[in-house]
Amino acid sequence: MSEDNDQYYFNFSFFKVDPKWRWMADLAKEESAKEVENVINNSGIMFRSYSNLGLRDDADFLFWFAAKSVEEIQTVIEKIYKTVFGKYILPSMTYLSCTRPSIYVQEQKAHGFVTGNNPKKHVIVYPFTKTREWYLLPKEKRQEIMDEHIEVSKKYPQVVLNTTYSFGIHDEDFMLAFEVDNIRDFQDLIMDLRETQVSTYVKNDIPMIVCVKKDLVPLISSLG
């Protein structure tokens, strides 16, 4: 993870669907979905799609991209907007981050998304910001606090963490994406982490957005 060639930009783009989309003929919707699928498949960047339908009032679905440059992400989103389906969607939340090696973890692991492993049933995505007081602590003290945090996380090997960094390129410090099959496992993890020292230094960790993995064509078909 130390080489630039191993680094990626992550983009979490959440969208709302215009209610007028539901009035289109089913065949037209299917063709529109395939058009979007072709655009993304031809883009050459990594991609996953998720549904938020019925789970939130501010997002219907998530497109999660990973690319070597932000321009690649912009290009594919531009092409999506030029499709028929693209005329019926509006961005509701957008987050940008990049991969970096952690300064607190000795054994670095590749992010689940970029390894090419099969995604789990759900991902919980949220922005995360620590207080300025955290960064003023001595490095040794921060490492001690993070060691406790890491030990708690090790109790949940079934939860795959994608931690990416937003310092200087978006409003938060980090973007976190936890992949998990059973949502309750993630809830148990968060409840345990609330009791660790690092929680004292959390400034913001909302919104927490539960997303259900859904392939692109079935996802678009499910939107009404």
Side-chain angles (χ1 to χ4, degrees), residues 4-47:
D4 288 344
N5 287 341
D6 295 329
Q7 303 302 306
Y8 289 85
Y9 288 96
F10 277 22
N11 174 273
F12 301 88
S13 287
F14 291 89
F15 295 91
K16 290 282 290 181
V17 177
D18 188 323
K20 293 177 182 176
W21 169 257
R22 302 188 182 101
W23 292 94
M24 286 187 63
D26 290 342
L27 182 59
K29 291 177 186 174
E30 184 178 347
E31 291 301 316
S32 300
K34 291 179 180 178
E35 182 186 17
V36 176
E37 185 177 50
N38 287 334
V39 165
I40 293 172
N41 288 342
N42 292 329
S43 70
I45 68 176
M46 303 186 73
F47 168 82

Side-chain angles (χ1 to χ4, degrees), residues 128-145:
F128 185 83
T129 300
K130 291 180 178 176
T131 64
R132 292 299 176 91
E133 287 77 13
W134 167 259
Y135 298 105
L136 296 176
L137 292 174
K139 171 63 167 59
E140 295 76 14
K141 181 61 177 177
R142 282 183 281 144
Q143 184 67 61
E144 174 188 323
I145 294 173

Side-chain angles (χ1 to χ4, degrees), residues 10-12 92-98 126-132 135 164-176 203-207:
F10 277 22
N11 174 273
F12 301 88
S92 59
M93 294 175 284
T94 303
Y95 300 100
L96 178 67
S97 57
C98 59
Y126 64 93
F128 185 83
T129 300
K130 291 180 178 176
T131 64
R132 292 299 176 91
Y135 298 105
T164 48
Y165 294 70
S166 293
F167 292 92
I169 61 175
H170 214 261
D171 299 340
E172 54 282 329
D173 291 350
F174 308 91
M175 276 304 298
L176 304 182
K203 182 179 180 180
N204 180 66
D205 60 355
I206 57 173

Side-chain angles (χ1 to χ4, degrees), residues 10 37 43 45-46 52 54 59 62 64 98 100 117 146-147 160 169 173 175 198 205-208 210 223:
F10 277 22
E37 185 177 50
S43 70
I45 68 176
M46 303 186 73
N52 307 113
L62 162 66
W64 180 5
C98 59
R100 299 178 68 94
N117 292 340
M146 285 302 299
D147 286 345
V160 176
I169 61 175
D173 291 350
M175 276 304 298
V198 75
D205 60 355
I206 57 173
M208 287 197 178
V210 175
L223 296 173

Side-chain angles (χ1 to χ4, degrees), residues 48-65:
R48 289 181 184 175
S49 53
Y50 294 83
S51 173
N52 307 113
L53 199 64
L55 304 180
R56 297 186 64 90
D57 61 3
D58 54 0
D60 292 320
F61 64 93
L62 162 66
F63 283 175
W64 180 5
F65 300 98

